[in-house]
Amino acid sequence: MKLDTNWQASEQTSINLNDARGSIVFRNVVKKYGTVQAVNGLDLEIDRGELVTLLGPSGCGKTTTLRMIAGLELPSTGTIAIGGTDVSRLPATYRNVSMVFQSYALFPHLTVLDNVAYGLRMGGLKTPLAREKAEDALSTVGLAGFGSRLPSELSGGQQQRVALARAIVLEPEVLLLDEPLSNLDAKLRRYVREEIRTLQQRIGVTTVYVTHDQEEAMAVSDRIIVMEQGKIAQAGSPADLYHSPQSAFIASFIGEANLISCIASTVANGDRVAKIGEYRFTVPGSNVSEGQATLVIRPAAISFSTNADEGMPSMITSAAFLGDRVLYSIETPIGRLFYVEYTSSIRHPDRTEINITLDPAKLHLV
Amino acid sequence: MLGLAAYCLLPWYGVDYGIFELDWIEAGGLLSEAGASGLLRLFLFSDGAMAIPAIALLLLVAVGSTPQLSRRLSMFSMAATIFALCAIIIHAMAGAGPMRSFGYGSTIILTVLFLSGTNLWSRLGKGNRDAFVVSSIAFVCALILLFVFYPIAQILVQAFVNKQGIFNVLGALNIATGGDIWSIGCLVGRSRCGVAVNSIILGLLTATSTTILGLAFALLMSRTRFPGKPLLRALAVLPIITPPFVIGLALILLFGRAGFVTDTISNLLGLEASRWLYGLWGIWLGQTLAFTPIAFLVLTGVVQGISPSLEEASQTLRADLSATLRTVSLPLMKPGIANAFLLAFIESLADFGNPVVLGGGDNVLSTEIYFAIVGAQANMMRAAVLSLILLALTLTVFIVQKRWLGRTDFTTITGKADNGANSMLSRGHKVIVYGLTLPWMLFTTLIYVMVFYGSVVKLWGQDHTLTLAHYKEAFEVSWSDGGIWWKGAAWDSFWTTISISAIAAPLTAGLGLLTAWLLVRQKFAGRSTFEFLTMLSFAVPGTVVGVSYILAFNNAPIELTGTGTILVLCFIFRNMPVGVRGGVAAMKQLDNSLDEASLTLGANSFKTLRHVVLPLMRPAIVSAIAYSFIRAITSVSAVIFLVGADHNMATAYIIGLVENGSYGLAIAYSTVLIMVMLVVVTVLQVAFGKRRLRREDRIGQQLSRPVVA
């Protein structure tokens, strides 16, 4: 039994990319399926104890990246290091990484307790001891006393917590979560994502979280890595991504935004000016190159003006009441914009003529 | 990987000190020349070649206990392993003096060397480094090559090489183009047709009739409110547990010269009793009875696979029920119907039981092969050539079915939830369906009643007094000298059949499910070829398998004819595709993330298979075992060539009885076999049902507790 683990370890030549246990480093990783490139020369660094979200539309390579960290897929080329050790060719069985699956993947023929104890027993722990540790893990996720049930006898939220307990009981270097909230109803989601965040902070495990929901990503992450077509589009804290998007893709993907094409030019003090038709908007603190660009107008940058001489003459083309807010669509000289007003009733019905102004401090050029 | 390494280590040690010395023990003591172990051969009989495996094994033991293995060392030991494997095989084939068969020792050593080789290969970083997966793939491939393709290659050799060992294409061509095989005389009304033409005509007739009846039954099952559906299901299962010639026997009892119906009609109308049943028409009737349930099972899936929303859409577009069936449902079913047709065609070509019982003067390929071997002239070359023709026919149809129909399947389930119900049949179609199915159901029921009745009358056609004499003759048991004396004539072959089938069934299911697991869950180069090869053995007719096994395993290095082993092997490789199919279907229902979860939790692929996949597949395993058991008991075509004096199988024994005209005894024996299989199926069904009950109990019990959300 000993023989093979030793041998496996011997093949792991340490490349010492990072001393910290729990760090993840991707160097020029490519994953091809036949002729399709799912991941396309990815460089990635995740620090110990961080909760990082891989965010992106479906097919962007985020799940493939997660599965390569797990060892369920091996990269076609490039290297992956976990905890400073090259694991590029090491299959999942031998990696110190746990994963919570989208479907939870609880073994239907085993009780909740045996599900949680499974990894411990596979690691060679005696059954009574494994069960004891599994009980502890179950109480960590608030499911003490549920051990003797079958997974099919639990609610979706409870199953999710069993999957989490099964992953963390192994005290992995890295915890992977693949769209963990997608099978829960909307109300439960917010509660569970807070729980996941709290638990992660408490045990301090490096966590990689895959989702396509930007709100979920912003709520739980230390850092968000937005992926597009197998590459990183932009990485940073939720606030970074929201306030200084580097591309129209990021701007539209993180938070809601109106994207208007414009011509950018530089003025004396170094600020940029966006020119759309006869309108000019000063955008301070931007360093976009001159020429064709995109002006990002968050709904928060828009305000209604009662002064007829100020701003752009516009017309409301639709107003939808959503309870706590009203969603407006506005026809303006620079194009159609949407705007959100937090009020309890529609103040400007359809076909109202109105003047709107843009707050320069809340505009971005990309 | 860990488990397999340990598994491999044990035999290595064992081989040196234990099993090696058991070698060739059956041929007389260890010290005799013939019975010596490899080790003793090396020293006592100065057989230098015996040193090679010893050195290779010692090297492997040394390498196996070294935790750290350099790339070069593993390459070297792999080369050594391969060399030793080749050396042993060449030594056996080209050894001086008469060729000797492999004994226990050499078989085990060969297996160990082979598995070590694959293990080392996986250590070199191939195949995701999972030794279990790599070894399994190599193991299954090697077995299929050895027990499916090697025997068929032997047929080729036999067909083209004459007695003097000279390559002889002309001789083979001469046989292959002979008028007795390809003559179409019967079509133009002159004389008899050739056997191949007979086979093809029969295949087309049977395929047409079974497909039409099967479709009618499938429509009856899923598109009408027919009250007798449970009965229909039972009738569909019955032929599976019926030995293939039993229906032929029942037909003889009804329509044969002394048949019940023949008698009645000739008495009423004063007609001369004719022999029309013995020939192509009789075989056609028998095969239609036997294979309609298969077409029914295939077509039920097809009919139910039509999305109800398509039919509902058609009806909202102002098509009535009849037009919907004609313009939407039937065109969508076309590939499925073609599939059922081709399957029935293959079954008909491969069938041996019905033609041998009902054939009379009209021979088909499968029976002609049999008579070429057991007949007076014992012409192996002719048998081989005929086998190749039969094989070519079935393989062509099989490949057509896989390659051409594989692409045009409209009925695959999309995974989208489909609401609504399939439309019922229109009045006109209902009349047709009922008109076809009800008489046929009655006929099938009558056949089975006849089987039972035939077994309890004294002498069919002459003395219809009821008696249990046939059962007594076959299965009499008496007490003598304080022990049971199995006095009946059938006991011997009965126990052989049961024990050989019982040995073969779990092995078949195991190998089939392992293959299914590799196919569904593992990615490896050549996977689709691998799949094709495993399914290909399904298309090899039993008669051909029988001939090929005689040719391949009659001489050293693998001499198995006349033993029970060859029967077990034959069943395993003939029925394995059934296990593969069942396993693939069951495994596709299991979410792959369960396997992946197990892997990320630190289990290797062997442990995952053992702790996650197998427990979840239990129903599939049970039915695979049951089905292989039943197929082993009922098979005739391959078995009839392989039975020996010591190992006679029930079906071969019954065929013998039929040839002697002992219909009563044959039918009594068949009835008992059907009963035994019915019991086996029922018992397994109950065991299978139990698992569900336990599950429901548990849920009921849990529901009474307050559920904390």
Side-chain angles (χ1 to χ4, degrees):
Chain A
M1 293 283 274
K2 209 82 193 156
L3 180 155
D4 287 301
T5 38
N6 285 345
W7 171 75
Q8 290 291 357
S10 74
E11 292 268 307
Q12 300 163 14
T13 43
S14 172
I15 54 171
N16 223 0
L17 290 160
N18 192 331
D19 285 336
R21 181 188 134 90
S23 69
I24 303 168
V25 178
F26 274 51
R27 285 276 174 265
N28 198 21
V29 169
V30 174
K31 178 67 188 178
K32 284 186 206 162
Y33 295 104
T35 55
V36 184
Q37 287 218 337
V39 170
N40 202 347
L42 188 67
D43 285 305
L44 187 75
E45 281 176 32
I46 295 170
D47 294 334
R48 163 181 206 175
E50 240 187 334
L51 195 161
V52 171
T53 304
L54 298 177
L55 179 66
S58 58
C60 72
K62 57 186 193 297
T63 300
T64 308
T65 305
L66 191 81
R67 291 167 60 82
M68 283 196 286
I69 300 174
L72 295 170
E73 309 279 353
L74 299 180
S76 307
T77 59
T79 56
I80 300 172
I82 296 175
T85 309
D86 183 1
V87 295
S88 310
R89 310 309 306 165
L90 196 65
T93 308
Y94 307 104
R95 292 194 192 182
N96 190 9
V97 171
S98 293
M99 180 155 165
V100 173
F101 287 80
Q102 186 173 5
S103 62
Y104 313 140
L106 298 178
F107 305 129
H109 60 300
L110 299 180
T111 63
V112 165
L113 189 67
D114 286 336
N115 260 286
V116 179
Y118 184 87
L120 296 167
R121 282 182 31 220
M122 291 300 131
L125 210 60
K126 291 264 183 295
T127 309
L129 201 59
R131 291 212 165 132
E132 210 170 289
K133 289 188 87 172
E135 283 281 8
D136 290 346
L138 277 177
S139 38
T140 311
V141 298
L143 284 177
F146 282 72
S148 61
R149 298 198 189 182
L150 286 176
S152 56
E153 295 156 8
L154 299 184
S155 71
Q158 289 169 333
Q159 291 181 14
Q160 214 264 354
R161 280 187 274 166
V162 175
L164 201 58
R166 186 174 72 175
I168 61 169
V169 75
L170 295 174
E171 296 169 16
E173 271 186 76
V174 175
L175 176 65
L176 305 175
L177 302 162
D178 185 9
E179 309 230 3
L181 308 183
S182 62
N183 284 331
L184 301 177
D185 62 56
K187 276 181 190 160
L188 207 53
R189 269 184 214 174
R190 192 152 66 190
Y191 173 68
V192 173
R193 80 184 183 212
E194 281 163 17
E195 269 198 334
I196 289 175
R197 178 63 175 165
T198 314
L199 186 69
Q200 188 268 339
Q201 293 286 301
R202 197 166 77 221
I203 59 179
V205 61
T206 311
T207 304
V208 183
Y209 190 115
V210 160
T211 180
H212 61 264
D213 180 339
Q214 55 95 14
E215 188 189 312
E216 195 179 313
M218 293 179 83
V220 298
S221 315
D222 292 318
R223 210 149 58 87
I224 298 176
I225 296 172
V226 185
M227 293 185 67
E228 190 190 11
Q229 294 180 349
K231 282 192 154 165
I232 294 181
Q234 192 178 346
S237 70
D240 277 351
L241 291 176
Y242 188 82
H243 292 304
S244 30
Q246 282 164 10
S247 67
F249 171 73
I250 298 290
S252 67
F253 205 77
I254 305 286
E256 289 174 305
N258 297 289
L259 303 177
I260 308 287
S261 7
C262 64
I263 307 289
S265 55
T266 316
V267 290
N269 64 355
D271 285 349
R272 298 290 194 278
V273 166
K275 183 171 164 242
I276 307 160
E278 60 191 80
Y279 289 89
R280 279 173 173 68
F281 304 94
T282 309
V283 184
S286 173
N287 53 3
V288 73
S289 54
E290 299 201 350
Q292 200 67 45
T294 303
L295 182 64
V296 178
I297 308 168
R298 300 272 184 209
I302 303 171
S303 51
F304 292 156
S305 167
T306 42
N307 187 345
D309 301 334
E310 201 186 39
M312 298 177 281
S314 309
M315 182 161 48
I316 307 251
T317 52
S318 86
F321 176 62
L322 297 179
D324 59 341
R325 60 194 193 276
V326 178
L327 216 61
Y328 290 106
S329 199
I330 311 166
E331 199 63 55
T332 77
I334 60 169
R336 180 173 294 208
L337 301 180
F338 74 86
Y339 170 61
V340 184
E341 189 180 38
Y342 285 84
T343 86
S344 53
S345 64
I346 297 176
R347 290 197 293 134
H348 310 285
D350 215 5
R351 319 236 52 94
T352 311
E353 289 190 2
I354 200 155
N355 273 20
I356 67 161
T357 55
L358 303 180
D359 178 357
K362 292 178 180 168
L363 296 177
H364 313 284
L365 269 172
V366 292
Chain B
M1 171 108 196
L2 282 170
L4 195 92
Y7 168 72
C8 281
L9 268 175
L10 284 175
W12 291 346
Y13 287 120
V15 164
D16 267 341
Y17 307 109
I19 302 161
F20 219 11
E21 287 160 1
L22 289 173
D23 199 4
W24 297 340
I25 204 162
E26 54 189 7
L30 274 170
L31 293 172
S32 71
E33 210 272 335
S37 75
L39 197 63
L40 289 170
R41 286 190 68 80
L42 176 59
F43 293 115
L44 290 178
F45 303 100
S46 54
D47 186 349
M50 282 295 136
I52 294 170
I55 292 166
L57 283 167
L58 286 173
L59 177 69
L60 284 172
V61 172
V63 165
S65 50
T66 321
Q68 298 193 0
L69 202 56
S70 74
R71 200 173 172 76
R72 190 174 295 168
L73 186 59
S74 25
M75 290 283 253
F76 172 70
S77 21
M78 207 168 99
T81 312
I82 293 169
F83 173 71
L85 268 175
C86 298
I88 294 178
I89 293 167
I90 291 168
H91 177 73
M93 310 242 301
M99 290 215 285
R100 283 215 191 85
S101 175
F102 283 128
Y104 294 121
S106 38
T107 307
I108 289 170
I109 290 170
L110 281 173
T111 315
V112 166
L113 283 176
F114 183 73
L115 289 178
S116 322
T118 58
N119 196 12
L120 285 165
W121 172 255
S122 71
R123 281 187 167 205
L124 283 169
K126 311 289 177 188
N128 256 3
R129 271 194 181 169
D130 202 316
F132 176 69
V133 174
V134 177
S135 302
S136 306
I137 294 169
F139 188 62
V140 172
C141 282
L143 286 178
I144 289 176
L145 286 178
L146 183 57
F147 292 109
V148 179
F149 288 88
Y150 167 68
I152 288 172
Q154 286 291 319
I155 297 192
L156 275 174
V157 171
Q158 183 71 36
F160 293 114
V161 178
N162 67 13
K163 283 201 181 89
Q164 286 77 44
I166 298 160
F167 192 68
N168 178 4
V169 181
L170 274 179
L173 279 180
N174 203 15
I175 296 176
T177 54
D180 52 344
I181 296 176
W182 294 107
S183 157
I184 51 166
C186 60
L187 292 183
V188 290
R190 270 186 296 144
S191 57
R192 288 225 162 122
C193 270
V195 282
V197 177
N198 273 342
S199 276
I200 292 170
I201 293 172
L202 181 64
L204 291 174
L205 285 174
T206 303
T208 311
S209 57
T210 54
T211 307
I212 291 171
L213 280 168
L215 183 62
F217 275 110
L219 290 172
L220 181 73
M221 194 72 183
S222 54
R223 301 298 168 93
T224 64
R225 294 195 183 82
F226 177 63
K229 284 181 186 177
L231 180 69
L232 196 58
R233 279 203 198 90
L235 281 182
V237 175
L238 265 180
I240 296 170
I241 59 169
T242 309
F245 44 79
V246 171
I247 288 170
L249 285 179
L251 285 176
I252 291 176
L253 298 185
L254 278 174
F255 303 111
R257 269 223 297 183
F260 187 68
V261 175
T262 319
D263 259 6
T264 317
I265 291 176
S266 64
N267 284 343
L268 280 177
L269 305 175
L271 288 172
E272 182 80 16
S274 85
R275 290 181 54 86
W276 68 270
L277 185 72
Y278 302 96
L280 224 46
W281 301 110
I283 308 176
W284 180 34
L285 190 57
Q287 289 191 339
T288 307
L289 278 164
F291 302 143
T292 294
I294 297 173
F296 164 64
L297 290 178
V298 171
L299 287 166
T300 305
V302 173
V303 170
Q304 288 172 346
I306 303 293
S307 162
S309 56
L310 291 176
E311 293 180 337
E312 286 175 348
S314 159
Q315 284 169 51
T316 61
L317 296 168
R318 304 194 181 155
D320 61 13
L321 288 174
S322 153
T324 300
L325 184 70
R326 266 187 291 111
T327 57
V328 176
S329 315
L330 278 181
L332 286 173
M333 291 176 204
K334 254 183 204 161
I337 293 172
N339 191 17
F341 183 88
L342 294 181
L343 270 182
F345 189 70
I346 292 180
E347 290 279 353
S348 165
L349 284 181
D351 185 30
F352 176 80
N354 286 305
V356 82
V357 173
L358 295 168
D362 287 339
N363 271 340
V364 294
L365 277 171
S366 55
T367 48
E368 189 73 11
I369 292 168
Y370 173 65
F371 292 125
I373 287 181
V374 302
Q377 68 270 51
N379 189 342
M380 281 310 265
M381 186 161 172
R382 185 177 161 78
V385 172
L386 289 169
S387 298
L388 284 182
I389 294 171
L390 179 55
L391 188 62
L393 282 174
T394 53
L395 285 188
T396 311
V397 178
F398 178 74
I399 289 166
V400 164
Q401 184 219 356
K402 284 279 157 188
R403 285 286 138 102
W404 172 55
L405 288 175
R407 274 182 239 138
T408 54
D409 196 358
F410 304 124
T411 58
T412 41
I413 296 150
T414 54
K416 276 186 200 163
D418 242 337
N419 291 323
N422 282 119
S423 50
M424 293 284 129
L425 288 178
S426 65
R427 182 177 289 270
H429 287 138
K430 220 184 260 175
V431 170
I432 300 173
V433 163
Y434 275 102
L436 280 171
T437 51
L438 290 185
W440 197 256
M441 275 178 80
L442 279 177
F443 187 41
T444 310
T445 318
L446 182 65
I447 292 282
Y448 279 94
V449 171
M450 274 303 130
V451 170
F452 182 72
Y453 185 55
S455 70
V456 292
V457 299
K458 210 168 227 166
L459 188 56
W460 188 263
Q462 286 165 33
D463 186 354
H464 283 200
T465 43
L466 296 181
T467 170
L468 284 176
H470 299 307
Y471 287 96
K472 194 179 170 202
E473 193 184 340
F475 293 104
E476 188 176 0
V477 176
S478 67
W479 296 91
S480 67
D481 303 333
I484 305 172
W485 181 29
W486 305 101
K487 201 170 162 187
W491 281 119
D492 189 27
S493 61
F494 181 78
W495 289 125
T496 311
T497 304
I498 297 289
S499 52
I500 283 183
S501 303
I503 294 168
L507 294 174
T508 312
L511 192 62
L513 293 171
L514 178 68
T515 310
W517 180 72
L518 293 173
L519 284 174
V520 176
R521 288 293 202 259
Q522 303 297 330
K523 286 172 264 175
F524 52 91
R527 203 191 63 97
S528 55
T529 318
F530 180 67
E531 177 172 20
F532 192 66
L533 292 186
T534 52
M535 296 321 281
L536 204 60
S537 54
F538 203 58
V540 182
T543 328
V544 177
V545 173
V547 173
S548 72
Y549 270 47
I550 304 185
L551 291 173
F553 303 121
N554 208 16
N555 297 308
I558 309 172
E559 191 182 332
L560 293 169
T561 39
T563 63
T565 317
I566 197 169
L567 289 167
V568 171
L569 285 170
C570 171
F571 290 143
I572 292 176
F573 291 96
R574 256 180 78 55
N575 299 331
M576 192 184 95
V578 178
V580 175
R581 242 187 236 176
V584 166
M587 227 166 285
K588 279 189 174 154
Q589 306 252 307
L590 285 186
D591 190 355
N592 199 11
S593 67
L594 290 172
D595 295 41
E596 291 179 343
S598 173
L599 291 174
T600 60
L601 291 169
N604 57 28
S605 55
F606 177 71
K607 284 186 186 170
T608 300
L609 186 64
R610 151 117 183 60
H611 292 284
V612 177
V613 178
L614 285 186
L616 290 173
M617 296 252 306
R618 213 162 60 186
I621 297 169
V622 169
S623 57
I625 291 177
Y627 203 57
S628 352
F629 182 70
I630 286 165
R631 278 186 57 110
I633 290 185
T634 56
S635 85
V636 180
S637 49
V639 164
I640 203 144
F641 296 98
L642 301 176
V643 291
D646 298 338
H647 299 278
N648 201 1
M649 294 287 284
T651 44
Y653 182 76
I654 296 173
I655 293 271
L657 291 175
V658 174
E659 281 170 351
N660 293 337
S662 323
Y663 290 132
L665 197 54
I667 283 197
Y669 197 168
S670 306
T671 314
V672 170
L673 278 185
I674 293 175
M675 290 301 166
V676 167
M677 287 183 279
L678 206 59
V679 168
V680 170
V681 172
T682 318
V683 165
L684 287 169
Q685 203 86 341
V686 168
F688 169 50
K690 227 178 201 170
R691 181 171 172 266
R692 279 224 183 117
L693 276 179
R694 204 177 343 144
R695 191 69 178 257
E696 275 155 21
D697 279 353
R698 188 170 195 112
I699 291 164
Q701 174 199 328
Q702 292 292 338
L703 280 181
S704 57
R705 283 197 210 164
V707 176
V708 187

